[in-house]
Short mmCIF file of all heavy atoms in Angstrom, two decimals:
data_model
loop_
_atom_site.label_atom_id
_atom_site.label_comp_id
_atom_site.label_asym_id
_atom_site.label_seq_id
_atom_site.Cartn_x
_atom_site.Cartn_y
_atom_site.Cartn_z
N VAL A 30 0.84 -1.21 0.00
CA VAL A 30 -0.01 0.01 -0.01
C VAL A 30 0.88 1.23 -0.01
O VAL A 30 1.80 1.37 0.81
CB VAL A 30 -0.93 0.02 1.23
CG1 VAL A 30 -1.70 1.34 1.29
CG2 VAL A 30 -1.88 -1.15 1.21
N ILE A 31 0.64 2.17 -0.92
CA ILE A 31 1.41 3.41 -1.00
C ILE A 31 0.83 4.42 -0.01
O ILE A 31 -0.37 4.74 -0.05
CB ILE A 31 1.37 4.02 -2.42
CG1 ILE A 31 1.99 3.01 -3.43
CG2 ILE A 31 2.09 5.32 -2.43
CD1 ILE A 31 1.82 3.48 -4.87
N HIS A 32 1.66 4.86 0.92
CA HIS A 32 1.25 5.83 1.91
C HIS A 32 1.78 7.20 1.53
O HIS A 32 2.92 7.33 1.14
CB HIS A 32 1.80 5.46 3.31
CG HIS A 32 1.13 4.28 3.92
ND1 HIS A 32 1.29 2.97 3.42
CD2 HIS A 32 0.31 4.13 4.99
CE1 HIS A 32 0.57 2.12 4.16
NE2 HIS A 32 0.00 2.80 5.12
N PRO A 33 0.96 8.23 1.61
CA PRO A 33 1.47 9.57 1.31
C PRO A 33 2.63 9.90 2.26
O PRO A 33 2.60 9.52 3.44
CB PRO A 33 0.28 10.49 1.59
CG PRO A 33 -0.91 9.57 1.55
CD PRO A 33 -0.46 8.24 2.01
N TYR A 34 3.63 10.58 1.72
CA TYR A 34 4.74 11.00 2.55
C TYR A 34 4.72 12.50 2.72
O TYR A 34 4.50 13.23 1.75
CB TYR A 34 6.07 10.61 1.87
CG TYR A 34 7.28 11.04 2.66
CD1 TYR A 34 7.82 10.29 3.69
CD2 TYR A 34 7.87 12.30 2.42
CE1 TYR A 34 8.89 10.71 4.44
CE2 TYR A 34 8.97 12.71 3.13
CZ TYR A 34 9.48 11.94 4.16
OH TYR A 34 10.56 12.36 4.88
N PRO A 35 4.91 13.03 3.91
CA PRO A 35 5.12 12.31 5.16
C PRO A 35 3.82 12.25 5.97
O PRO A 35 3.11 13.27 6.12
CB PRO A 35 6.15 13.18 5.88
CG PRO A 35 5.83 14.58 5.43
CD PRO A 35 5.25 14.44 4.05
N THR A 36 3.50 11.09 6.49
CA THR A 36 2.38 10.92 7.39
C THR A 36 2.85 10.00 8.51
O THR A 36 3.76 9.20 8.34
CB THR A 36 1.15 10.30 6.73
OG1 THR A 36 1.50 9.04 6.20
CG2 THR A 36 0.59 11.17 5.60
N GLN A 37 2.16 10.12 9.65
CA GLN A 37 2.50 9.26 10.77
C GLN A 37 2.07 7.82 10.50
O GLN A 37 2.63 6.87 11.06
CB GLN A 37 1.93 9.78 12.07
CG GLN A 37 2.54 11.08 12.51
CD GLN A 37 2.30 11.42 13.97
OE1 GLN A 37 2.02 10.55 14.76
NE2 GLN A 37 2.44 12.70 14.31
N ALA A 38 1.06 7.64 9.65
CA ALA A 38 0.64 6.27 9.29
C ALA A 38 1.70 5.49 8.54
O ALA A 38 1.61 4.28 8.39
CB ALA A 38 -0.64 6.32 8.46
N GLU A 39 2.77 6.20 8.12
CA GLU A 39 3.88 5.51 7.51
C GLU A 39 4.53 4.52 8.45
O GLU A 39 5.19 3.57 8.05
CB GLU A 39 4.92 6.54 7.00
CG GLU A 39 5.97 5.94 6.09
CD GLU A 39 7.04 6.95 5.69
OE1 GLU A 39 7.02 8.07 6.19
OE2 GLU A 39 7.91 6.57 4.91
N GLY A 40 4.30 4.71 9.75
CA GLY A 40 4.80 3.75 10.75
C GLY A 40 4.22 2.36 10.53
O GLY A 40 4.86 1.35 10.78
N ILE A 41 2.96 2.29 10.03
CA ILE A 41 2.34 1.02 9.73
C ILE A 41 3.01 0.36 8.55
O ILE A 41 3.31 -0.84 8.55
CB ILE A 41 0.82 1.21 9.47
CG1 ILE A 41 0.14 1.76 10.73
CG2 ILE A 41 0.17 -0.10 9.01
CD1 ILE A 41 -1.30 2.21 10.50
N LYS A 42 3.29 1.17 7.48
CA LYS A 42 4.01 0.61 6.33
C LYS A 42 5.42 0.14 6.71
O LYS A 42 5.87 -0.90 6.23
CB LYS A 42 4.09 1.66 5.22
CG LYS A 42 4.78 1.14 3.99
CD LYS A 42 4.70 2.13 2.84
CE LYS A 42 5.48 1.65 1.62
NZ LYS A 42 4.99 0.35 1.09
N LYS A 43 6.10 0.91 7.57
CA LYS A 43 7.41 0.51 8.03
C LYS A 43 7.38 -0.86 8.72
O LYS A 43 8.26 -1.70 8.56
CB LYS A 43 8.00 1.55 8.98
CG LYS A 43 8.58 2.79 8.27
CD LYS A 43 9.08 3.78 9.31
CE LYS A 43 9.83 4.92 8.63
NZ LYS A 43 11.16 4.52 8.12
N ALA A 44 6.31 -1.10 9.52
CA ALA A 44 6.15 -2.38 10.17
C ALA A 44 5.95 -3.50 9.14
O ALA A 44 6.52 -4.59 9.25
CB ALA A 44 4.99 -2.33 11.15
N ALA A 45 5.11 -3.22 8.11
CA ALA A 45 4.89 -4.22 7.08
C ALA A 45 6.15 -4.48 6.27
O ALA A 45 6.47 -5.62 5.93
CB ALA A 45 3.76 -3.74 6.15
N ASP A 46 6.92 -3.43 5.97
CA ASP A 46 8.19 -3.59 5.24
C ASP A 46 9.16 -4.38 6.07
O ASP A 46 9.95 -5.22 5.54
CB ASP A 46 8.79 -2.23 4.91
CG ASP A 46 8.04 -1.51 3.80
OD1 ASP A 46 7.25 -2.18 3.11
OD2 ASP A 46 8.26 -0.30 3.62
N ALA A 47 9.15 -4.18 7.39
CA ALA A 47 10.06 -4.94 8.28
C ALA A 47 9.74 -6.43 8.22
O ALA A 47 10.66 -7.27 8.25
CB ALA A 47 9.94 -4.42 9.71
N TYR A 48 8.45 -6.75 8.10
CA TYR A 48 8.08 -8.16 7.95
C TYR A 48 8.63 -8.74 6.66
O TYR A 48 9.19 -9.83 6.62
CB TYR A 48 6.56 -8.33 8.00
CG TYR A 48 6.15 -9.70 7.54
CD1 TYR A 48 6.28 -10.80 8.38
CD2 TYR A 48 5.66 -9.93 6.26
CE1 TYR A 48 5.95 -12.09 7.96
CE2 TYR A 48 5.32 -11.21 5.83
CZ TYR A 48 5.44 -12.28 6.69
OH TYR A 48 5.14 -13.55 6.27
N ARG A 49 8.47 -7.99 5.57
CA ARG A 49 8.94 -8.52 4.26
C ARG A 49 10.43 -8.77 4.27
O ARG A 49 10.92 -9.70 3.61
CB ARG A 49 8.56 -7.53 3.13
CG ARG A 49 7.07 -7.41 2.95
CD ARG A 49 6.72 -6.70 1.66
NE ARG A 49 6.93 -7.56 0.51
CZ ARG A 49 6.47 -7.26 -0.72
NH1 ARG A 49 5.80 -6.13 -0.90
NH2 ARG A 49 6.68 -8.08 -1.72
N ARG A 50 11.15 -7.94 5.00
CA ARG A 50 12.61 -8.15 5.06
C ARG A 50 12.97 -9.48 5.76
O ARG A 50 14.00 -10.04 5.49
CB ARG A 50 13.27 -6.95 5.75
CG ARG A 50 13.34 -5.72 4.86
CD ARG A 50 14.31 -4.69 5.43
NE ARG A 50 13.86 -4.16 6.72
CZ ARG A 50 13.03 -3.13 6.85
NH1 ARG A 50 12.56 -2.51 5.76
NH2 ARG A 50 12.69 -2.70 8.05
N THR A 51 12.07 -9.93 6.63
CA THR A 51 12.36 -11.19 7.32
C THR A 51 12.22 -12.38 6.38
O THR A 51 12.70 -13.47 6.71
CB THR A 51 11.39 -11.40 8.52
OG1 THR A 51 10.03 -11.58 8.03
CG2 THR A 51 11.43 -10.23 9.49
N LEU A 52 11.61 -12.18 5.23
CA LEU A 52 11.41 -13.26 4.25
C LEU A 52 12.68 -13.54 3.44
O LEU A 52 12.76 -14.55 2.75
CB LEU A 52 10.25 -12.93 3.31
CG LEU A 52 8.90 -12.69 4.01
CD1 LEU A 52 7.85 -12.37 2.94
CD2 LEU A 52 8.46 -13.90 4.84
N LEU A 53 13.60 -12.60 3.50
CA LEU A 53 14.84 -12.75 2.72
C LEU A 53 15.77 -13.75 3.44
O LEU A 53 16.20 -13.48 4.56
CB LEU A 53 15.53 -11.41 2.54
CG LEU A 53 14.78 -10.37 1.68
CD1 LEU A 53 15.54 -9.05 1.70
CD2 LEU A 53 14.69 -10.90 0.24
#
């Protein structure tokens, strides 16, 4: 999901991106 930058909801996307990095 593309989040507008900068918003505080980007913290949610950061959490989701952190999960994807665990798949590597």
Side-chain angles (χ1 to χ4, degrees):
V30 174
I31 299 173
H32 289 69
Y34 178 86
T36 60
Q37 293 198 21
E39 192 184 5
I41 298 171
K42 181 174 176 59
K43 281 178 172 288
D46 287 345
Y48 167 76
R49 293 193 76 167
R50 286 194 294 273
T51 67
L52 302 179
L53 293 174

